[in-house]
Amino acid sequence: MSKTSTIILAREALLPALALVSKAVERRNTIPVLQNVLLAVDAKAGRLTITGTDLDRELRTTVACQAGKDESFTLPSTLLHDAVRKMPEGAEIALAAESDFATLSSGRTRFRIQVLPASDFPTMDGGTPSHAFEMDVAAIGRMFDTVSFAISSEETRYYLNGVYWHAGEHFHAVATDGHRLAKFSAALPEGAAGMPGIIVPRQTVDLIGKILGDKGKATIGLSDTKLRVECDGVVLVSKLIDGSFPDYVRVIPATNANHFTVEKEALAKAVDRVTTVSSGRGSAVKFSFEAGGNLTLSTNNPDAGSANDEVTIEHGEGDSVEIGFNGRYCLDLLNAAEGKRLVFSLGDPGSPTLIQPETADETGLKPLFVLMPMRV
């Protein structure tokens, strides 16, 4: 690369763009160019496109710039971000790349950073989408916030390492690790009908949460193997998990006859208190539901002690039930659930429990959760 023209950028525009794109860069990658971000100048449009990738995900965004000609090169993501971050607030930054090094300067501050050629940088093709549609970013955020806690981290069951997105009468997001299940349903977006069910990897779910704004819409595109999400000038392309999500409908109980309504916040605080004496994530908490009375929580750790607490049952019908749950799993569920009050629908102590908000949201739909029992 011969000496290029100088690219002029505003620090306050460049810094957040680098911070965002760096989230798709794997710092420990042994391939040097994958530790870099691709910088591509479109001089006529007056913009710089910044791209980062870990080969499974690609994240890119643009910032305004002044430049004399089109050019592309790559720079180390972490080093570039730190250099820009340490520039004075409000600084105007000049960037000029040569064959081996780029000069980043502002005022009397100057950095000389090693360049790798743009031709070495791998880019992902989003493919031709079989389905494309728009969704409110608030709906996407609610979906993932509600179900992502239940994503499995067990690598041997890789098909559970993400959120299952699929369409039916409504648009559904489901996650499960075999011990708990979470499902969120929303109105079916125009263009999503008939879309194939896809499994969105956990890391992609996290990235989508970071690129979504507070309001507006995101454009979703699906091909056979990839997902493309565009929101407010940021584009994320991700590979999908190649596997079949299990038939989760079979584990959702439909005939549990004992229903107890409790205040979510009070229950979460009580579960948090009794799990103080638990060791690790596997300690069971006994839930004693008394029809027309209280919910008593109790736990016993032979190495630490025991704890008990009570929560008022707002409404109960059916028989009293004693059942054990993993206290940490229950707390994760309570923190993700919406609404002030939750209805626990129970069968016998060995059967899965269905948990839902007492009232539906503005769409008339309710998220649902399934919690598998533990022996106590």
Side-chain angles (χ1 to χ4, degrees):
M1 181 189 300
S2 59
K3 183 165 177 114
T4 63
S5 62
T6 300
I7 307 162
I8 305 299
L9 305 120
R11 175 189 180 274
E12 269 52 51
L14 180 59
L15 183 59
L18 290 172
L20 177 65
V21 169
S22 69
K23 297 182 188 305
V25 178
E26 175 54 66
R27 296 185 182 185
R28 295 181 297 275
N29 206 301
T30 57
I31 303 173
V33 77
L34 291 181
Q35 299 178 32
N36 286 18
V37 290
L38 174 65
L39 306 174
V41 176
D42 183 335
K44 184 176 180 180
R47 68 183 178 217
L48 173 71
T49 300
I50 307 170
T51 305
T53 185
D54 62 2
L55 295 182
D56 290 320
R57 281 155 290 278
E58 178 184 280
L59 194 56
R60 65 179 181 268
T61 189
T62 60
V63 295
C65 73
Q66 300 175 33
K69 65 176 184 178
D70 295 352
E71 54 189 306
S72 299
F73 52 94
T74 80
L75 292 174
S77 174
T78 301
L79 179 56
L80 179 60
H81 175 264
D82 287 349
V84 173
R85 178 174 59 84
K86 294 176 180 180
M87 296 283 194
E89 291 185 9
E92 184 178 81
I93 295 174
L95 176 61
E98 302 179 18
S99 57
D100 296 320
F101 290 90
T103 301
L104 186 75
S105 60
S106 178
R108 292 184 290 183
T109 303
R110 180 181 297 266
F111 294 91
R112 194 163 179 261
I113 304 174
Q114 190 170 26
V115 167
L116 289 176
S119 58
D120 292 348
F121 193 87
T123 57
M124 293 180 65
D125 180 6
T128 302
S130 62
H131 291 76
F133 51 91
E134 288 188 340
M135 280 191 71
D136 288 335
V137 296
I140 300 173
R142 284 178 65 197
M143 271 190 160
F144 289 147
D145 288 346
T146 301
V147 307
S148 60
F149 76 92
I151 297 174
S152 175
S153 57
E154 187 179 333
E155 293 185 3
T156 56
R157 294 197 291 175
Y158 65 93
Y159 48 86
L160 298 182
N161 295 160
V163 172
Y164 181 45
W165 244 6
H166 58 295
E169 183 181 353
H170 300 101
F171 194 53
H172 307 290
V174 180
T176 182
D177 61 4
H179 304 288
R180 58 234 173 122
L181 179 146
K183 178 181 180 182
F184 186 98
S185 300
L188 187 65
E190 184 177 350
M195 64 170 270
I198 62 171
I199 307 174
V200 185
R202 176 198 295 274
Q203 297 92 331
T204 302
V205 170
D206 292 341
L207 280 180
I208 290 174
K210 290 177 172 65
I211 71 173
L212 295 179
D214 296 328
K215 55 185 178 180
K217 292 185 178 293
T219 302
I220 312 294
L222 302 176
S223 66
D224 291 340
T225 58
K226 293 188 180 70
L227 167 70
R228 186 182 188 275
V229 181
E230 182 172 0
C231 179
D232 198 21
V234 181
V235 178
L236 170 65
V237 178
S238 171
K239 292 180 181 177
L240 300 169
I241 292 177
D242 183 14
S244 298
F245 202 80
D247 182 9
Y248 67 88
V249 176
R250 294 186 305 164
V251 305
I252 299 175
T255 59
N256 287 355
N258 309 299
H259 308 286
F260 304 94
T261 302
V262 297
E263 185 185 347
K264 182 187 73 173
E265 185 176 353
L267 179 57
K269 290 179 178 178
V271 173
D272 188 38
R273 284 191 290 265
V274 299
T275 54
T276 302
V277 300
S278 299
S279 57
R281 294 188 60 88
S283 296
V285 176
K286 181 190 288 185
F287 284 61
S288 299
F289 292 86
E290 300 175 19
N294 293 325
L295 165 59
T296 302
L297 308 177
S298 58
T299 188
N300 181 55
N301 181 354
D303 299 322
S306 61
N308 297 274
D309 213 324
E310 286 190 357
V311 177
T312 299
I313 291 177
E314 304 289 341
H315 177 74
E317 59 182 45
D319 298 327
S320 298
V321 179
E322 285 190 353
I323 189 170
F325 294 126
N326 181 307
R328 301 296 177 186
Y329 287 175
C330 185
L331 196 57
D332 290 343
L333 184 158
L334 294 171
N335 289 334
E338 299 179 344
K340 292 185 177 181
R341 303 203 299 180
L342 299 176
V343 179
F344 283 67
S345 299
L346 298 101
D348 61 66
S351 299
T353 294
L354 175 65
I355 303 165
Q356 288 187 279
E358 182 183 36
T359 57
D361 63 17
E362 64 277 4
T363 67
L365 302 171
K366 291 183 182 181
L368 67 80
F369 307 91
V370 177
L371 201 56
M372 300 301 292
M374 287 185 71
R375 182 175 297 176
V376 290

